[in-house]
Amino acid sequence: MEPDEKTGAGASSKTVGRMRLGELLIRQGLITQEVLETALKEQRVSGKRIGEVLLARGSLTETQLMPIMAAHLKLSYTDVSTLVLGSDELRCLREDLARKYTALPLRQEGKQLQVVMADPLDFDALRDLSFATGFKVSATLGGRMLIKEAIDRFYARHLEGADRLMAAGVGDAAEPLLSQRGHASALDADGDDAPVIQLLNLVMRKAIQLGASDIHIEPGVPEGTVRFRLDGLLADQLKVPISLHPALISRLKVLGKLDIAERRLPQDGSVRVKLEGREADLRISTIPLQAGEKAVIRVLDTAGGGFELETLGFAPRDMQRVENLIGRHKGMVVVTGPTGSGKTTTLYSILNRIKSPTINIVTIEDPIEYHYPGLNQMQVHSDIDLTFAKGLRSILRQDPDVILVGEIRDAETAEIACRAALTGHLVFTTLHTNDAPSTITRLLDIGIPRYLLASVLVGIIAQRLVRAVCLDCKGPVQADQDVIVGLGLSPASLAGGHYVAGKGCVKCHEFGYKGRLGVFEVLVPDARVRDLILKSSTEEDIRLAAQETGMRSLVEDGLDKAKVGRTTIEELGRVLEVSEHAATSCPGCGRQLNSEYRHCPFCRAVLRQMCGGCGKLLQAGWIGCAYCGEERAK
């Protein structure tokens, strides 16, 4: 859009008007003569405009260039980064038109509509916008990339167009949805497709743009609800009339190759979609409810970025431990945590680190969440009796170096995985437990012999996902005392922290949080822990021994991240569970410890003593045992 360096254009004064753009940028101190000469050489080769070349080279930003460009062209300039648009403005311009012409509506007065555009001198675009909106359109200049980011942000938040599509789709039968255009993976519907098809495409597009992990389509009377899970929390996005709900579910079943006639039984399916160059896998699940069928779509954005260990949130000490684990040639590493805690992402980040043409990595998963090049991935199919145990036996005959078992669910799978780790393979797997020490108890309960577990277990990584504070609106705060008590933290443990919280802005959709990071607990068994496993010691004894060797609890790791402003104490209180016994401050050093401990692992102060009558652990200084009545002097 900007003028060629050779021709130039008028500006706000005669002096500026006679200047070329490059000269003007030099005069403003934004670039040097050397930078301009280099850009001009590139311009002569590429044929691009000088402004485009300078932006592509990173010589200056759109925020720096656009005001100068506006003055150069005698145009009004709008700083798009400061815009706050509501539904009233967004209704004036459809999203498809906004994307096509890289424009945003600013204000509407009578028959006049003012927009900000990347190319306000495109008179054909202005004419098309006037015809499509019914307004007389005038335009100001804005940065192209800033406008594109703002379109994603504003239209995604308001789901513009949904009301129109629902109004057009009320009363439509589900039957026409069977005539599908093109491939099932195409999200973009043609203009004459059924409104329900466009509505579902709109919902899925917004979910991918917002980074939602799940889409919930729930029935209700008189209207159902579409909710997105954003950074771990569900948020309402759209209300759907009950008359449209069956058609919406039917369209979803068509995409997932499910039986649209079966509405009494749960069904599962999947489909891969592509949108604006980004690919995503959708895992679809439906269940029958009293008001109708509910569908949940798990969104696995395969283009959301690579799997890098450094981006997960490991503390330097834990990172070193993990790197030592994945450098081994044999043994079993268990990643544990509840559903949705990021276990699969951690495992794929580990495999990405060790992936090599010289290593045969084979996985068996249910389902395969990420299709990753360089890995040999096997899908479990219970309907044909391809279970984890049977698949794992077959994998062992495929000359593997590294094996990933998606989840240990039964004794047979557990024992085969342990035998594989014992015979020279590095095995990664997952479990659902609360923390690292309880993983040992769980594996023993499944049926792994103590001697075998003590031999093959080389590491346990327990994790949770907490929301990260939005960097654009964060500010200092005081930690909530009720949350501190609930986490079992002492005032001494909070010292030295710089606690912040997000105030809410357009970048984080007013939540105060943007993105998530991991909170970890890394247990690497040493000789003492292995000995405790063999001796049938309690989970608390194992926890104490692990802490004495440097293992930090989930709460401690989360607190360290809150101290440096990466998350908040309130977020830790929402995500982390604290043991019912975790309420004792050490009288010696002030550290908050599990009250089942006998001695502080840091200063060795006495916390609990054993009753001579029944063997129960009681608070230090007890007078009478609450279990057997045994007395002792305080």
Side-chain angles (χ1 to χ4, degrees), residues 75-116:
L75 293 172
S76 298
Y77 170 70
T78 298
D79 185 358
V80 180
S81 63
T82 63
L83 283 182
V84 178
L85 300 179
S87 298
D88 292 339
E89 292 87 0
L90 295 174
R91 289 194 185 99
C92 295
L93 185 64
R94 298 201 316 267
E95 181 183 357
D96 58 333
L97 294 174
R99 293 187 182 279
K100 181 177 181 180
Y101 297 112
T102 317
L104 274 175
L106 295 178
R107 63 187 62 86
Q108 179 257 320
E109 296 178 356
K111 289 295 182 178
Q112 301 285 331
L113 175 64
Q114 187 177 36
V115 301
V116 55

Side-chain angles (χ1 to χ4, degrees), residues 14 57 102 152 214 217 219 257 307 356 388 471 591:
K14 294 182 179 179
R57 292 178 56 84
T102 317
D152 288 340
D214 300 271
I217 303 177
K257 298 180 175 62
F307 298 97
S356 166
F388 275 111
L471 299 178
R591 297 292 291 263

Side-chain angles (χ1 to χ4, degrees), residues 212-530:
S213 61
D214 300 271
I215 307 170
H216 290 240
I217 303 177
E218 303 171 345
V221 178
E223 58 186 7
T225 305
V226 175
R227 299 194 288 172
F228 293 169
R229 187 174 294 279
L230 303 170
D231 291 334
L233 295 180
L234 284 172
D236 288 356
Q237 298 291 327
L238 189 65
K239 295 295 184 181
V240 179
I242 191 63
S243 58
L244 266 183
H245 183 82
L248 201 59
I249 298 296
S250 295
R251 167 62 179 171
L252 191 58
K253 287 181 176 181
V254 170
L255 284 178
K257 298 180 175 62
L258 306 180
D259 184 359
I260 66 168
E262 180 55 74
R263 301 177 181 176
R264 303 166 299 170
L265 296 174
Q267 296 188 67
D268 295 289
S270 63
V271 64
R272 171 167 287 195
V273 299
K274 188 171 184 179
L275 173 67
E276 297 177 354
R278 298 171 60 186
E279 287 191 349
D281 289 327
L282 306 179
R283 283 165 42 195
I284 302 168
S285 173
T286 65
I287 59 172
L289 300 179
Q290 184 177 12
E293 286 185 282
K294 174 181 177 178
V296 174
I297 309 168
R298 170 63 59 89
V299 182
L300 303 172
D301 190 353
T302 59
F307 298 97
E308 299 295 339
L309 273 175
E310 290 78 9
T311 64
L312 300 184
F314 282 105
R317 186 170 182 177
D318 288 339
M319 186 67 180
Q320 184 60 51
R321 289 186 163 204
V322 172
E323 288 181 339
N324 292 339
L325 286 178
I326 64 181
R328 292 174 176 264
H329 298 292
K330 64 178 181 178
M332 183 166 71
V333 178
V334 182
V335 180
T336 184
T339 300
S341 59
K343 299 187 296 296
T344 302
T345 300
T346 298
L347 285 172
Y348 272 85
S349 299
I350 290 173
L351 295 183
N352 182 53
R353 175 66 65 87
I354 64 179
K355 184 181 66 173
S356 166
T358 63
I359 297 177
N360 179 24
I361 303 176
V362 188
T363 76
I364 177 166
E365 306 169 66
D366 184 24
I368 297 174
E369 294 194 5
Y370 300 103
H371 298 272
Y372 201 79
L375 306 183
N376 301 290
Q377 298 172 277
M378 179 188 294
Q379 170 72 54
V380 168
H381 290 288
S382 56
D383 53 341
I384 58 174
D385 202 28
L386 177 56
T387 62
F388 275 111
K390 287 190 175 183
L392 190 51
R393 283 197 185 94
S394 300
I395 287 174
L396 292 175
R397 295 191 288 270
Q398 292 285 313
D399 185 31
D401 297 296
V402 178
I403 302 172
L404 167 62
V405 181
E407 182 182 352
I408 289 182
R409 298 177 179 175
D410 52 63
E412 185 179 11
T413 304
E415 186 165 354
I416 298 172
C418 288
R419 298 290 180 187
L422 191 63
T423 55
H425 304 90
L426 184 57
V427 178
F428 295 96
T429 188
T430 69
L431 272 181
H432 292 91
T433 57
N434 290 329
D435 53 24
S438 63
T439 301
I440 295 174
T441 304
R442 173 63 177 151
L443 290 171
L444 293 173
D445 290 342
I446 287 177
I448 300 178
R450 291 183 178 276
Y451 74 89
L452 185 57
L453 182 61
S455 300
V456 303
L457 186 64
V458 296
I460 304 172
I461 304 172
Q463 67 180 76
R464 299 289 192 278
L465 288 177
V466 296
R467 291 180 294 172
V469 174
C470 176
L471 299 178
D472 293 293
C473 62
K474 69 178 182 179
V477 295
Q478 293 292 328
D480 191 313
Q481 293 299 317
D482 292 337
V483 179
I484 293 172
V485 173
L487 284 171
L489 296 172
S490 64
S493 65
L494 299 177
H498 300 281
Y499 302 99
V500 301
K503 300 176 182 179
C505 65
V506 294
K507 293 290 185 66
C508 63
H509 307 297
E510 307 299 333
F511 290 133
Y513 297 93
K514 188 175 182 180
R516 289 191 288 180
L517 67 150
V519 174
F520 299 94
E521 182 177 270
V522 183
L523 191 162
V524 179
D526 60 358
R528 182 181 173 189
V529 171
R530 297 185 191 281

Side-chain angles (χ1 to χ4, degrees), residues 157-194:
R157 181 74 189 276
H158 293 276
L159 285 175
E160 191 272 340
D163 293 340
R164 174 181 54 83
L165 291 174
M166 285 191 293
V170 172
D172 284 359
E175 197 65 30
L177 302 181
L178 301 178
S179 56
Q180 198 175 336
R181 294 178 181 268
H183 193 269
S185 65
L187 278 183
D188 295 314
D190 292 338
D192 56 350
D193 279 335

